[in-house]
Amino acid sequence: MSDNKIFVGIRPTRSGRRSATQEPTGPKCQWEGCESAGTHRAPVGGAADGLYLMFCAGHSRQYNKGYDYSPSKSDPVVARYQLDAAAGRIPARGVRTHHQALETPLPSSIPSGSAKSLKARGKAVQPTGTISLRKLRPLEAQAFDTLALPRDATADDIKRRYKERLKLDHPDANSGDRQSEDRLRGTINAYRILKGSGFC
């Protein structure tokens, strides 16, 4: 068959051996000082979940050996790569994953079901961020009135108003007026009451 005229002029185009110098192409290994191709992905983890670095096979093994999802538990060398990638000092690939806290789904705008089930569903989806106003004792209510603050004032609001009133009611700012001394005393007492009750 090999003497057939059709096959006589055909020669193999490939040499039987592969080139020994052929190396994989792609991005460079991100290990400091390495010139090899980065062919293996290595996860950053922690605050940069979803991002990864590219290392050669040897450095990928070394990275994985000392890797922990939390950089504080990783090998110090690996942790440095994780922290640098998370901070953007080393370019990382991929997309950062944001883990969102599970939120209560919004109720449907079209009510369905009995009145009892609607009421129960309404209670279940009440927003957790609302602050319920606690019942004030008479002295606490009077302290809010003295500082001219609403009942739902934050700690920062209370401190800010207290500092404002100290400056306004100080006798030196009012030419030694006796009434300003009484107002100053009332402001100080009101702040002490609110501070003692844990409002600021």
Side-chain angles (χ1 to χ4, degrees):
M1 191 98 153
S2 59
D3 295 338
N4 192 328
K5 291 181 181 179
I6 298 172
F7 296 104
V8 171
I10 297 177
R11 292 186 182 177
T13 54
R14 286 189 278 166
S15 62
R17 326 170 243 161
R18 283 193 170 182
S19 171
T21 57
Q22 194 177 27
E23 288 189 18
T25 58
K28 192 175 137 190
C29 177
Q30 290 183 287
W31 197 273
E32 201 173 304
C34 183
E35 295 296 322
S36 302
T39 54
H40 293 73
R41 291 181 179 188
V44 175
D49 198 17
L51 299 181
Y52 58 89
L53 298 167
M54 297 300 290
F55 294 123
C56 64
H59 287 129
S60 177
R61 278 193 295 275
Q62 189 175 343
Y63 182 89
N64 289 336
K65 197 172 182 182
Y67 174 83
D68 192 284
Y69 181 80
S70 172
S72 60
K73 296 178 182 176
S74 292
D75 178 74
V77 175
V78 172
R80 183 173 59 87
Y81 280 103
Q82 286 178 281
L83 295 171
D84 285 351
R89 291 186 289 269
I90 297 176
R93 295 165 181 251
V95 178
R96 201 181 288 257
T97 307
H98 297 286
H99 295 289
Q100 294 179 342
L102 293 173
E103 296 176 0
T104 310
L106 291 173
S108 172
S109 58
I110 304 165
S112 63
S114 67
K116 202 179 221 181
S117 65
L118 287 172
K119 190 174 180 184
R121 197 182 313 148
K123 284 181 180 176
V125 295
Q126 279 181 349
T128 53
T130 56
I131 301 166
S132 59
L133 294 175
R134 88 178 196 200
K135 192 169 180 179
L136 299 177
R137 295 187 211 129
L139 282 175
E140 293 168 351
Q142 189 179 353
F144 275 107
D145 292 338
T146 303
L147 294 173
L149 285 167
R151 303 292 192 259
D152 60 348
T154 63
D156 290 335
D157 293 336
I158 294 169
K159 289 174 186 174
R160 194 178 308 113
R161 180 59 58 88
Y162 174 63
K163 288 176 184 177
E164 288 171 6
R165 293 293 294 268
L166 284 180
K167 290 176 186 174
L168 288 172
D169 297 336
H170 199 279
D172 292 345
N174 294 290
S175 307
D177 183 19
R178 286 275 182 201
Q179 288 182 345
S180 69
E181 285 183 26
D182 294 337
R183 286 196 302 269
L184 180 66
R185 215 172 282 119
T187 299
I188 293 169
N189 286 336
Y191 182 73
R192 281 183 184 157
I193 288 166
L194 294 178
K195 190 170 184 183
S197 299
F199 286 98
C200 57

